[in-house]
Amino acid sequence: MAIENTVAVLGPGGTGGLLAALLSRSGRRVVCLAGESTAETLRRDGITVRSAQFGDFTAAVEADTELREPVAACLVTVKHNALDAALTRVPPVVLGDALVVPLLNGVEHPAALRARYRPDRVAPAVIRVESTRIAPGVIEHGSPFTEVDLAADGVPAARLDALAATLTAAGVTGRVVGDETAALWAKMAFLVPFALLTTRYGLPLGEVRTRHRDELGTLVAETATVSLACGAPADPARALARYDAFPPGAKSSMQRDAEAGRSLELDAIGGALLRAAERNGVFVPVAARLVRELREAGR
């Protein structure tokens, strides 16, 4: 198939596996990049998705431990704390002109990717979805939505529009938004309170927003202040309304990692907020305390 029809997915976990399966089902050629055992499973069995939004289905994908040919785009869907090791699977000389589309939590990863690949091809994206890998090649998609916002400074608009159309054709709500900083901080401002509080107290969002309402409100305000200082808009009242509208049983990905005994993206989320706050002279005592307590707990 032509390069334009081929998408690589680095890290076919909860997010990457869902996108890979949807893209394959829509007719795209998908190459998943993972460790040898996972790659072997995907080559043999494909990716099975269980989803109320998309139905239950299995999609065939190709899989390898390293990118060995040009592609139109490479979706980077690993956890932030696995990024450096994962990028060795995508040699810059092979990637060439392809878009690099990180769908990671946090705000610091675009700089690292632009240092390794063509800066004008790195297109940070924000995804809103609840999707979990319950076994290699088996994805459980729980949210009634799957939305991706593409935002990048200096990336050709036609390339972004084409990728958004590709995602939309696969069933994802794909959009191109105008401001990278605003897009990344919009997710960060929502994610920090959600991740830190659900993980610190081991509670789903419904209990956090009632039993720890004051902390939630303060943390939302702190995060909004940092976001504004970084040049992104923020609306604390709207953020609180979003938490109230979420299903009460919702858990953050950080909380799920904690429950499974996996390493956490604490530095990429909480640590990044504290660094941004320090750079801009913003006082964030609740965020700092929660990050400290999670670190002291071995998280």
Side-chain angles (χ1 to χ4, degrees):
M1 291 186 180
I3 292 172
E4 292 75 14
N5 196 54
T6 305
V7 177
V9 176
L10 177 62
T15 297
L18 176 65
L19 294 177
L22 290 171
L23 288 166
S24 175
R25 187 172 70 163
S26 71
R28 297 288 164 172
R29 178 181 174 228
V30 177
V31 181
C32 293
L33 305 173
E36 181 55 53
S37 60
T38 296
E40 182 179 354
T41 298
L42 298 186
R43 285 192 295 264
R44 182 185 66 241
D45 301 331
I47 298 177
T48 295
V49 174
R50 303 169 185 167
S51 168
Q53 181 184 10
F54 300 113
D56 297 352
F57 67 96
T58 298
V61 296
E62 298 179 37
D64 206 337
T65 58
E66 182 179 317
L67 185 66
R68 304 181 193 277
E69 61 182 285
V71 294
C74 179
L75 309 183
V76 182
T77 55
V78 297
K79 296 285 188 180
H80 197 289
N81 45 15
L83 180 62
D84 289 344
L87 290 180
T88 62
R89 302 189 189 281
V90 186
V93 68
V94 178
L95 187 69
D97 188 53
L99 290 181
V100 180
V101 186
L103 295 111
L104 279 70
N105 293 325
V107 294
E108 296 175 335
H109 56 275
L113 289 165
R114 289 184 172 123
R116 180 176 175 83
Y117 303 109
R118 281 187 58 169
D120 61 345
R121 294 296 183 268
V122 175
V126 171
I127 187 166
R128 286 175 289 276
V129 69
E130 184 182 1
S131 187
T132 305
R133 187 188 87 152
I134 59 176
V138 181
I139 308 299
E140 194 168 87
H141 171 227
S143 58
F145 52 82
T146 305
E147 303 170 347
V148 172
D149 290 345
L150 298 161
D153 301 328
V155 176
R159 298 286 296 272
L160 290 179
D161 289 339
L163 180 57
T166 294
L167 291 168
T168 299
V172 178
T173 302
R175 292 180 292 251
V176 177
V177 297
D179 188 325
E180 178 181 319
T181 299
L184 291 175
W185 272 99
K187 181 173 183 180
M188 184 76 160
F190 177 81
L191 183 62
V192 168
F194 183 30
L196 295 185
L197 288 171
T198 57
T199 307
R200 169 64 181 84
Y201 295 113
L203 296 172
L205 181 57
E207 292 187 59
V208 164
R209 68 192 179 206
T210 53
R211 294 169 59 179
H212 300 278
R213 185 76 180 186
D214 289 345
E215 262 185 301
L216 175 61
T218 302
L219 194 52
V220 166
E222 289 181 2
T223 308
T225 303
V226 176
S227 179
L228 288 167
C230 291
D235 186 340
R238 185 179 178 185
L240 277 172
R242 286 185 65 198
Y243 292 120
D244 288 335
F246 253 57
K251 295 181 178 183
S252 67
S253 60
M254 185 186 292
Q255 181 185 3
R256 292 185 185 279
D257 286 340
E259 290 172 349
R262 295 187 290 263
S263 61
L264 306 187
E265 292 183 295
L266 182 59
D267 187 66
I269 298 172
L273 178 79
L274 299 186
R275 288 187 287 274
E278 184 176 9
R279 287 194 303 271
N280 290 281
V282 178
F283 185 49
V284 288
V286 172
R289 175 180 58 78
L290 289 168
V291 171
R292 182 181 68 252
E293 289 173 352
L294 286 166
R295 284 176 173 159
E296 289 174 349
R299 297 304 193 187

